[in-house]
Amino acid sequence: MSSSNMVSNLSPLSLLQAPAAASHVDTLAPVVLALAVILAAAKLGGDVAERIGQPAVLGELVIGVLIGNLPLVGVNSFQFITSNATIGVLAQLGAVILLFEVGLESTVRDMMHVGFRSLAVAVLGVVTPWALGWWVGSLLLPNSSVYVHAFLGAALTATSVGITARVLKDLGRAQSPEARIILGAAVIDDVLGLVVLAVIAAVIAAADSGAAVSYGSLALVFGKALLFLFVALSLGVVFSPRLFRFASRLRGSGVLLATALVFCFVLAWLASAIGLAPIVGAYAAGLILEDVHYRDLSAKEDWRLEDLIRPIADFLVPVFFVLMGMQVDLSAFSRPEIIGLAVVLTIAAIVGKQACALGALGAKLDWLSIGIGMIPRGEVGLIFANIGLGLVVRGEHIIDSATYSAVVIMVMLTTLITPPALKWSLSRREAGSGKRVTGTG
Amino acid sequence: MSSSNMVSNLSPLSLLQAPAAASHVDTLAPVVLALAVILAAAKLGGDVAERIGQPAVLGELVIGVLIGNLPLVGVNSFQFITSNATIGVLAQLGAVILLFEVGLESTVRDMMHVGFRSLAVAVLGVVTPWALGWWVGSLLLPNSSVYVHAFLGAALTATSVGITARVLKDLGRAQSPEARIILGAAVIDDVLGLVVLAVIAAVIAAADSGAAVSYGSLALVFGKALLFLFVALSLGVVFSPRLFRFASRLRGSGVLLATALVFCFVLAWLASAIGLAPIVGAYAAGLILEDVHYRDLSAKEDWRLEDLIRPIADFLVPVFFVLMGMQVDLSAFSRPEIIGLAVVLTIAAIVGKQACALGALGAKLDWLSIGIGMIPRGEVGLIFANIGLGLVVRGEHIIDSATYSAVVIMVMLTTLITPPALKWSLSRREAGSGKRVTGTG
């Protein structure tokens, strides 16, 4: 027992705290305090955002940025939140629940209708920013190696679907064809982005060690990743009704919610086991589940699944957004050369994703909203930057701390710009051709 | 960034996994898998328990014991669950939500009606098992020091209110006067138990070091602890309506749930800050909140708070019970001398708590159910045993591993015995004098 050594040398007085400390105070206490701070901040930030006509999620992000940067003015009271590992996992769990909830609002059949279009949007949305980022990198950092340029481009490829999903949900547009194209494309993006990163990283690792890159094994992993969604969606549609038919025979309360969560968590785990982000599996799980699968269970317990998932989402999703805001370091803004690179990268990131709109051409779709919806890089961009920090070619770090800060600022700006921009583009279209758009939802 | 070193030496192929691994796979993936296993196991165990007429919680505990002891038959697949720190915190969070939910079903006014009776029940329920455990210890372990005997007694004092609260909830009896006396007494027990432990530990520490025990400082902490509930309940009743009146003016969705959770988490944190278990604060928060405080907010969002908390409880509470079962080590049963001590300790633990019934004499109350409801030691008893493992007097461990196992078995038996016993005693009374009991709920 790890607590035994801790306790043995404490004074009598501190022992009154120790019984709890041994099991839950030094783990649970900071977690409940952090959750209280995050939930309070999220609701206050959301309130201010809605008062100025913006989606609540923007308020959650901005208040996160403010709290996270309080150390700049000497206030370190909230640093325990970002350093708490459990809060980090709860934030990721919030992203999983959010994508599951968003997925629940569509069906696999809906996705099929936008599938090829999503693929076109995703491929354009990966290739264009990558090329653009590579080119911009070679212009601004002429002394860096080609690997740095290629990596900067790769860091611009991923789409963080969380922000867009939340904005679409806040605006009641999560079921529009545009939303499905964006979310479908973001899921494919996640796969493509990881492959791009893997290819770049493989080339860099080969350059560093002199070893040959095994394109065969890369192709294998690439295939595995693409197969996952296909297999998960095909098998899931067959398996899900059986699972819920079995569950409907179980006694006890809360079976509907538990079964749905088990399904979501298993797919999230399978996705991560195959090398994808768990949110991909959660989104797939949401897509697969249809009302008709759990109709019996829902009738028996007299609850709709959406109403059972929503409180869990209301609890965990703000943790994800506030924490993402808190991880933004505003002090990087004080270095002009970083600002320059960051601004150019941000423009490349925004312009690059507008190529996605080309994938929506020809259909009567809101192509501007699709392009804007693909802008945010969010946590996926940060993950890319993180990986870059660890890559070395013959002693040269692929991403040094200045470039890293620029990438972080790019991630932040693309993330902050999306909610108001998307709200504007969606309402612009709604004002222009109101009834038709609402009718397609 | 901790991930950067991890990644730099990976092969190209494993890098496809790395982007995720850097942020969420090696933290989130085992968590979602563990949650899927726990929720599936809980619902299957609950189903079996209900089919044989027992509360679902017994099934969750037993299936936890079974899964946790699979290594005894060579299956180690589920060990990642008990070793995962986040799952441990989520289990504790489940206990917090459970106590909050149970507290919500009563009001402070209800508690006042049973307050003095709860105090009498609690004091009897602490003093009697302590004396009995001390005496039994001196009989069975004559060669051990008086400290060991005193500590064994102390390990019998605490009441784990989680099991009883859940059984009462499962049987729809959480609002009966007996339930309030039991839950109120268990809250007071938690305070008294920690004080007993602190006194014992202080005496032992003094004996080990030769230093004098400061009874003044002990009294100070004792007073602080008792004051907490009084102050929290008094101030909370004044503050809570204002908090919800403020919250009702906030825009955005999910404000009612977020405000209630913030209130619960802040009180749980305050309780732990003062040296009490966080669940004490969560229960106090539930007691304080009354429908009338959040009537406006509830009307605005068109949801009852109970219906918003229940899905979160359905998600997290089973984690607590399955994990508690998993931590039971059945292999300790193979040592006869441990069995002997364990059986005697268990009898002392059960008989000792029946003294609680004396506190209920004179009123038309189900005194047998009160005595039985106080039996389970649960995680609090395990915490006590843990602390004992770390206490040393001149080289002698106060609790060696054999005694520890006996205490763990006692905790397990008292925990497993309570659901069926409580169900029996409550239904016995209901059958005997049906209408009157239901009428008092």
Short mmCIF file of all heavy atoms in Angstrom, two decimals, chain A residues 5 221 226 308 314:
data_model
loop_
_atom_site.label_atom_id
_atom_site.label_comp_id
_atom_site.label_asym_id
_atom_site.label_seq_id
_atom_site.Cartn_x
_atom_site.Cartn_y
_atom_site.Cartn_z
N ASN A 5 3.85 4.28 3.90
CA ASN A 5 5.09 4.99 4.21
C ASN A 5 4.84 6.47 4.45
O ASN A 5 5.47 7.09 5.29
CB ASN A 5 6.09 4.84 3.07
CG ASN A 5 6.50 3.38 2.91
OD1 ASN A 5 6.47 2.64 3.89
ND2 ASN A 5 6.82 3.00 1.69
N VAL A 221 -0.47 0.13 -41.97
CA VAL A 221 -1.13 0.88 -40.90
C VAL A 221 -2.19 1.82 -41.48
O VAL A 221 -3.28 1.98 -40.92
CB VAL A 221 -0.09 1.66 -40.07
CG1 VAL A 221 -0.78 2.36 -38.91
CG2 VAL A 221 0.99 0.73 -39.56
N LEU A 226 -8.01 3.08 -42.20
CA LEU A 226 -9.19 3.33 -43.03
C LEU A 226 -10.21 2.21 -42.89
O LEU A 226 -11.41 2.44 -42.91
CB LEU A 226 -8.77 3.48 -44.51
CG LEU A 226 -8.09 4.80 -44.85
CD1 LEU A 226 -7.75 4.86 -46.34
CD2 LEU A 226 -8.97 5.99 -44.47
N LEU A 308 -30.41 11.17 -21.37
CA LEU A 308 -29.53 10.56 -20.37
C LEU A 308 -28.08 10.95 -20.61
O LEU A 308 -27.29 11.07 -19.68
CB LEU A 308 -29.68 9.04 -20.41
CG LEU A 308 -31.07 8.49 -20.05
CD1 LEU A 308 -31.15 7.00 -20.33
CD2 LEU A 308 -31.37 8.77 -18.58
N ASP A 314 -23.07 17.75 -20.23
CA ASP A 314 -23.07 19.06 -19.56
C ASP A 314 -22.02 19.10 -18.45
O ASP A 314 -21.50 20.17 -18.12
CB ASP A 314 -24.45 19.35 -18.96
CG ASP A 314 -25.44 19.83 -20.02
OD1 ASP A 314 -25.00 20.17 -21.13
OD2 ASP A 314 -26.65 19.85 -19.74
#
